[in-house]
Amino acid sequence: MVRPDQRILVLFAHPGQRYSRANRDLSKAASGVDNVTLIDLYALYPRFKINIEVEQQRLLDHDVIVFQFPLLWYSVPALLKEWQDLVLEYGFAYGEGGDKLAGKCFTCVVTTGGPEEFYRVGGRNNFPLRDLLAPIEQTARLCGLRFVPPYALFAAHSAAGDDRLPRHVDGYRRLLEALRDDRLDMEAADQMRLLSAETLPMRRTAQTEVKR
Amino acid sequence: MTGLLFQVFVYLCAAVVAVPLAKRLGLGSVLGYLIAGIVIGPLLGLVGSETQGIQHIAEFGVVMMLFLVGLELEPRSLWNMRGRLLGLGGLQVTVTIVLVMAASMALGQPWSVSLAIGLVFSLSSTAIVLQTLNEKGLMKSVGGQSGFSVLLFQDIAVIPMLALIPLLALPELMNHTSDAVALAGAGAGTGAGAEHHGAEMSLVTGLVGWQIALVNIAAVAAVVAGGHFLTRPLFRYIAAAKLREIFTAAALLLVVAIAFLMTLVGLSPALGTFLAGVVLANSEFRHELESDIEPFKGLLLGLFFITVGAGINFALLFDNLWFVLGLTVELILLKAAVLFCLSVLFSMRWADRWLFTLALAQAGEFGFVLLSFTTKNAVIPPQVADLLLLVVALSMLLTPALFILFDRVILPRLDKGQQRPADEITEHGTAIIAGIGRFGQVINRVLKGNGYQTVVLDVSADMIDMFRKFGIQTYYGDASRPDLLNSAGLQEAKLLVVAIDDVDRAVEIVSHARRERPDIHIVARARNREHVYALYKAGANDIVRETFDSAVRASRYSLEAFGVHPHEAEKLVTVYVDHDRDAIRRLARLYDPDLPITENQPYMKLMKEIQAETDAALSSHTPDVHDRVKRAWLPPGSHPDEFD
């Protein structure tokens, strides 16, 4: 039996990193996990001039794709949207011959400013977080990606003050390791709206065998 | 001496008074010159018989004009014209000769005289037609191109005509002119006063037919090969001397030498220089040659038109007024009819059809040449020739009127009707790039790479040589010279990029271009702040400081080296750039080119204020600037100070 050893690409987008604590700690944790490539999109493309060929090759070189970002106006930061617009080309990611990403695994790692109770029907933001992320979910599906429910941290600003952040960061590390080793229980995960540090569904061993 | 000065004074005076007036009245410069000639000649009697001699010199203007026309025409476009040249030109000349001959025989002239008259009247006026077409910007239309093809064919056809005429000699006239028979056979050069110098020097007298042909071919080959291989090293050498007048002298020398060679071997000098022009059309010196020859051509042609006007024999004209007028009108109608049929045959569109028909309906300056040649060779009796001379001159005099008819009556009618053809774009929007140093190169490559036409000018002959090796079309010349800028296409260009090193010349170019073309977009490189202000005053649209952007990038890298996140470094330098550009805009308004900056009190005061502002703005604790970096990305409910 061969250890699956999936390669993970974390595309991290945060335009104001100097003022970020949650995402700073999260990226630090991600970069410490083996087989993870962490890309700081705002550092790489400060003038929004994305190199499409390089980005597509990066996607081909990995098995799991992760978007890591703070929710800004119920959506991804502008550069991550630009990245989707340019890199997920017709004929590459979707459409005729666009099956290059099919079968890979995808998830997003989101932090929000508001607490969880804001993200409810009738709450201040009126929509559950999972619903707000529907465009990303559908994008992943159109590209043939296996969508794993988002791993979310609510009220990230206040979490930085107590032990919620360290627990979330540790959960992130475990999530990435599980994805790498193919130990995340996908069926169980599919039953959840969101993943959190406390609810990560794990398996003891890898469920599928990947031949190299 | 005073006599010569008086002559020059009279001619120049007539031109200076009449031509601007004629242009203002919308009559075109050619009519202005012709009227000026009539006024100083027959009307006031200020100039007399010497106009004949002057005319031969002035005809050299036609030679120069064909050189310039050749420069505008690449060899490939000449090759593409071959159908029109032979078809249209050949048919026009043959059919006109036959019809004129028939008409003349119907009027009772013997066949040989009639044929000679046919030859004389089949030719049109290259000088008037090309000058007018150029002036009206119609050269590149189908009608203009077709007209040009016919004129070029006529220029070539003059050579066999000159060979043919002596064979038509009338026995009863022979004894008067036995000395002229020596000219027969190989018979002299054409064009510029052929029968005058033809007798003086010739390389082909005494040779038989095939030898002449061989010499002719060798001469043409010499012009083509010399133009291709010799002129460029020569001009490069002269350009290296950086003496403008010597370059002009060399350009004139080139034209004169070719004309001389052609005359020696009995070919048309106009044809020779035209060929040389075509050969040089791809050369880097094209625009420089153009602007050097242009004024000479203009003056000589003007002089030529004046002499045509001055040479009209009014006494003879009034004695035979109705007969001569009738003949002239009949001639124009006949030629026009032939041209119109050809335009239908070659399926031109309506506007081109009328242009082609009306433009070439006159007899031309070669008619003068042929007429004096025919009288010398005892082909046409002098009394008849004098009348024919009047017809030629009158038909030339009427040509501008035909152009006015085309402009004022025919074009508006076509516009009103539904037949108006789609506007033909003869010139695409191009960019002129002055200066192909490291700066201009980048612009040129980006524009060319994206399919935009560029015309590149530079003063360094070495540099041009190098770029030509890389296949970049570059022309030699000082872009601050208005004439050169014009021949590079300033009047049609969409964009002018000024990227030359010389600070003052750059400003000159910008102000000249702005004066000439209020609507052109000008991108200028500034070497320093003061240069920015001067270019701003001169009217540049975009002023780029040559070191500013690179300095900004270097400072961004420096910030990044200190660990500032690239995205934040970008925003920080943007703050600086915005501040600086705002400052330079405010300072430019106070700049006075006549005052050194240090003595410009209001400028210095504002300068100090702005310096203080910028310092304050950049220090990280002022809310104004740094908020612009932090603002949007702060976590909700937090305050910038929490993070400093």
Side-chain angles (χ1 to χ4, degrees):
Chain A
M1 188 169 270
V2 185
R3 216 170 141 234
D5 241 4
Q6 303 280 82
R7 293 155 304 174
I8 301 174
L9 174 63
V10 177
L11 293 168
F12 168 48
H14 194 314
Q17 288 178 40
R18 182 205 276 241
Y19 317 107
S20 153
R21 273 169 242 184
N23 271 291
R24 183 189 61 199
D25 291 357
L26 286 169
S27 355
K28 200 184 284 175
S31 63
V33 177
D34 282 348
N35 269 17
V36 168
T37 310
L38 178 75
I39 298 297
D40 179 351
L41 286 176
Y42 274 93
L44 199 55
Y45 304 117
R47 283 163 292 288
F48 277 55
K49 292 172 185 167
I50 291 171
N51 186 331
I52 298 174
E53 287 74 26
V54 165
E55 291 306 313
Q56 290 183 343
Q57 189 55 48
R58 232 199 286 283
L59 290 176
L60 297 175
D61 292 343
H62 293 85
D63 309 299
V64 179
I65 295 147
V66 179
F67 283 180
Q68 183 196 321
F69 59 93
L71 194 73
L72 303 179
W73 283 110
Y74 313 112
S75 183
V76 293
L79 182 56
L80 187 54
K81 179 64 167 67
E82 176 85 348
W83 183 96
Q84 293 171 49
D85 295 349
L86 295 181
V87 178
L88 302 178
E89 272 182 317
Y90 181 89
F92 173 80
Y94 72 103
E96 203 181 315
D99 55 356
K100 309 288 186 298
L101 304 182
K104 295 183 194 289
C105 207
F106 175 86
T107 190
C108 23
V109 176
V110 198
T111 59
T112 71
E116 191 167 6
E117 57 268 28
F118 283 10
Y119 291 90
R120 274 176 201 156
V121 177
R124 202 158 143 182
N125 292 326
N126 211 20
F127 289 94
L129 180 59
R130 174 77 184 255
D131 291 1
L132 291 172
L133 295 174
I136 297 181
E137 182 173 346
Q138 180 49 30
T139 300
R141 289 200 197 289
L142 187 64
C143 297
L145 292 162
R146 174 87 171 75
F147 186 79
V148 178
Y151 180 70
L153 175 65
F154 290 99
H157 192 44
S158 69
D162 53 44
D163 65 342
R164 278 206 301 132
L165 180 60
R167 273 190 284 129
H168 188 74
V169 170
D170 184 61
Y172 187 30
R173 179 185 55 73
R174 283 184 288 123
L175 170 65
L176 289 173
E177 284 169 356
L179 286 165
R180 176 193 68 195
D181 302 338
D182 200 10
R183 281 190 293 105
L184 193 71
D185 188 334
M186 293 290 187
E187 282 74 35
D190 280 344
Q191 303 307 308
M192 304 176 176
R193 296 292 287 163
L194 296 170
L195 302 182
S196 67
E198 289 72 31
T199 61
L200 282 176
M202 299 292 206
R203 296 171 68 97
R204 284 227 159 267
T205 53
Q207 52 200 27
T208 53
E209 188 179 319
V210 179
K211 292 185 185 79
R212 281 286 157 90
Chain B
M1 186 62 194
T2 48
L4 175 70
L5 283 181
F6 176 69
Q7 290 280 324
V8 173
F9 173 77
V10 167
Y11 279 106
L12 287 179
C13 210
V16 168
V17 172
V19 175
L21 201 66
K23 275 222 87 158
R24 175 153 296 185
L25 295 174
L27 304 176
S29 69
V30 176
L31 198 54
Y33 283 118
L34 290 171
I35 291 170
I38 294 175
V39 170
I40 62 169
L43 273 190
L44 298 180
L46 292 173
V47 294
S49 55
E50 78 284 351
T51 47
Q52 290 290 317
I54 293 174
Q55 190 164 15
H56 292 310
I57 302 168
E59 274 167 5
F60 202 69
V62 180
V63 174
M64 288 179 164
M65 180 166 63
L66 274 154
F67 179 67
L68 294 177
V69 170
L71 275 181
E72 292 280 348
L73 204 69
E74 288 174 22
R76 196 184 311 150
S77 11
L78 180 63
W79 182 245
N80 291 339
M81 271 173 52
R82 66 193 186 281
R84 263 192 299 215
L85 187 70
L86 295 177
L88 264 182
L91 281 173
Q92 186 271 334
V93 171
T94 341
V95 175
T96 311
I97 290 175
V98 170
L99 290 180
V100 171
M101 191 178 160
S104 163
M105 283 171 79
L107 287 174
Q109 292 290 338
W111 74 269
S112 60
V113 174
S114 302
L115 176 56
I117 295 175
L119 296 182
V120 169
F121 283 166
S122 67
L123 305 175
S124 310
S125 172
T126 310
I128 292 181
V129 178
L130 288 196
Q131 175 78 7
T132 313
L133 287 179
N134 272 327
E135 208 170 284
K136 297 187 183 299
L138 293 169
M139 254 320 254
K140 303 223 161 142
S141 67
V142 174
Q145 284 287 305
S146 306
F148 173 69
S149 308
V150 171
L151 290 170
L152 199 60
F153 182 86
Q154 292 177 354
D155 274 1
I156 303 168
V158 168
I159 301 153
M161 286 182 187
L162 283 167
L164 179 67
I165 284 170
L167 305 177
L168 301 173
L170 292 171
E172 63 267 35
L173 294 171
M174 283 293 274
N175 44 355
H176 300 292
T177 53
S178 53
D179 54 336
V181 180
L183 286 173
T190 69
E195 78 284 6
H196 279 253
H197 14 94
E200 293 158 14
M201 263 198 260
S202 173
L203 286 177
V204 289
T205 34
L207 299 182
V208 291
W210 67 269
Q211 288 168 318
I212 294 170
L214 220 59
V215 171
N216 286 350
I217 291 168
V220 170
V223 168
V224 172
H228 196 75
F229 297 108
L230 279 181
T231 50
R232 286 167 66 178
L234 177 74
F235 281 128
R236 209 170 296 140
Y237 170 74
I238 292 163
K242 296 200 187 303
L243 287 169
R244 208 189 133 191
E245 66 278 11
I246 294 302
F247 200 99
T248 308
L252 277 176
L253 175 68
L254 177 78
V255 176
V256 171
I258 293 167
F260 181 58
L261 173 70
M262 289 292 122
T263 319
L264 273 186
V265 301
L267 286 177
S268 152
L271 182 69
T273 48
F274 170 74
L275 271 182
V278 173
V279 172
L280 286 170
N282 280 325
S283 117
E284 61 268 48
F285 299 104
R286 171 180 144 191
H287 292 297
E288 176 80 18
L289 284 170
E290 248 170 39
S291 40
D292 279 344
I293 298 288
E294 182 78 39
F296 292 100
K297 174 217 101 180
L299 280 177
L300 284 176
L301 269 189
L303 187 58
F304 172 75
F305 297 135
I306 292 181
T307 58
V308 170
I312 294 179
N313 185 342
F314 268 70
L316 188 65
L317 175 64
F318 286 124
D319 287 345
N320 304 282
L321 185 63
W322 295 114
F323 180 65
V324 172
L325 272 183
L327 264 190
T328 310
V329 171
E330 278 169 40
L331 171 71
I332 290 178
L333 285 177
L334 185 142
K335 291 193 78 164
V338 172
L339 291 163
F340 189 82
C341 292
L342 286 179
S343 72
V344 174
L345 192 66
F346 280 73
S347 49
M348 292 179 202
R349 284 184 287 194
W350 277 100
D352 293 316
R353 204 172 271 187
W354 283 113
L355 177 65
F356 179 72
T357 302
L358 293 177
L360 295 173
Q362 78 294 97
E365 59 276 4
F366 283 119
F368 293 136
V369 175
L370 286 185
L371 272 175
S372 52
F373 194 63
T374 47
T375 39
K376 280 230 175 74
N377 280 288
V379 179
I380 300 180
Q383 310 87 298
V384 180
D386 282 348
L387 284 178
L388 295 178
L389 214 58
L390 275 180
V391 173
V392 173
L394 269 186
S395 73
M396 285 166 82
L397 195 63
L398 285 175
T399 306
L402 295 182
F403 271 112
I404 292 169
L405 179 74
F406 174 76
D407 263 357
R408 303 263 168 93
V409 180
I410 293 174
L411 265 190
R413 290 258 166 102
L414 287 180
D415 282 354
K416 252 182 254 162
Q418 292 303 306
Q419 288 163 315
R420 181 184 161 75
D423 279 346
E424 205 170 325
I425 301 161
T426 47
E427 290 280 350
H428 294 284
T430 54
I432 301 173
I433 301 178
I436 183 81
R438 287 167 299 171
F439 201 90
Q441 268 170 59
V442 174
I443 303 160
N444 186 48
R445 289 186 65 171
V446 169
L447 289 178
K448 294 277 275 193
N450 288 289
Y452 294 98
Q453 299 265 344
T454 59
V455 176
V456 179
L457 299 172
D458 203 288
V459 277
S460 156
D462 297 339
M463 198 77 136
I464 292 162
D465 205 28
M466 194 176 84
F467 286 121
R468 291 216 142 215
K469 284 196 182 112
F470 286 111
I472 299 174
Q473 284 282 316
T474 317
Y475 298 100
Y476 169 79
D478 176 355
S480 65
R481 281 174 44 195
D483 52 347
L484 191 71
L485 215 49
N486 283 335
S487 63
L490 178 64
Q491 297 308 328
E492 304 87 36
K494 273 223 161 73
L495 166 72
L496 170 69
V497 179
V498 181
I500 60 169
D501 287 343
D502 192 309
V503 173
D504 297 330
R505 284 195 173 161
V507 177
E508 272 172 44
I509 295 176
V510 170
S511 42
H512 169 71
R514 182 50 76 220
R515 228 183 0 259
E516 290 279 308
R517 284 281 313 278
D519 57 322
I520 198 173
H521 192 100
I522 303 175
V523 178
R525 171 179 67 156
R527 311 220 67 176
N528 52 42
R529 238 160 216 272
E530 235 176 294
H531 199 196
V532 172
Y533 305 143
L535 290 167
Y536 176 82
K537 281 238 153 45
N541 298 82
D542 297 314
I543 302 162
V544 183
R545 278 174 283 170
E546 60 177 357
T547 51
F548 186 70
D549 289 78
S550 41
V552 165
R553 261 170 72 195
S555 27
R556 210 172 56 212
Y557 292 141
S558 306
L559 284 175
E560 287 173 19
F562 274 116
V564 178
H565 190 274
H567 187 241
E568 192 177 326
E570 170 68 22
K571 286 179 172 296
L572 287 169
V573 295
T574 305
V575 171
Y576 174 77
V577 169
D578 288 351
H579 249 262
D580 190 82
R581 292 176 67 171
D582 175 57
I584 213 159
R585 229 170 268 137
R586 283 155 70 193
L587 285 167
R589 279 178 221 128
L590 295 180
Y591 174 74
D592 182 349
D594 302 325
L595 214 58
I597 278 183
T598 42
E599 287 171 29
N600 187 334
Q601 293 304 328
Y603 178 93
M604 291 304 280
K605 187 165 166 276
L606 182 62
M607 178 90 159
K608 280 179 194 137
E609 280 172 32
I610 288 173
Q611 211 133 43
E613 277 171 35
T614 312
D615 287 348
L618 286 176
S619 76
S620 56
H621 289 285
T622 48
D624 166 39
V625 178
H626 255 223
D627 272 9
R628 285 163 65 184
V629 179
K630 293 172 185 176
R631 254 158 132 169
W633 316 123
L634 281 176
S638 60
H639 191 268
D641 295 341
E642 292 172 38
F643 294 91
D644 282 326

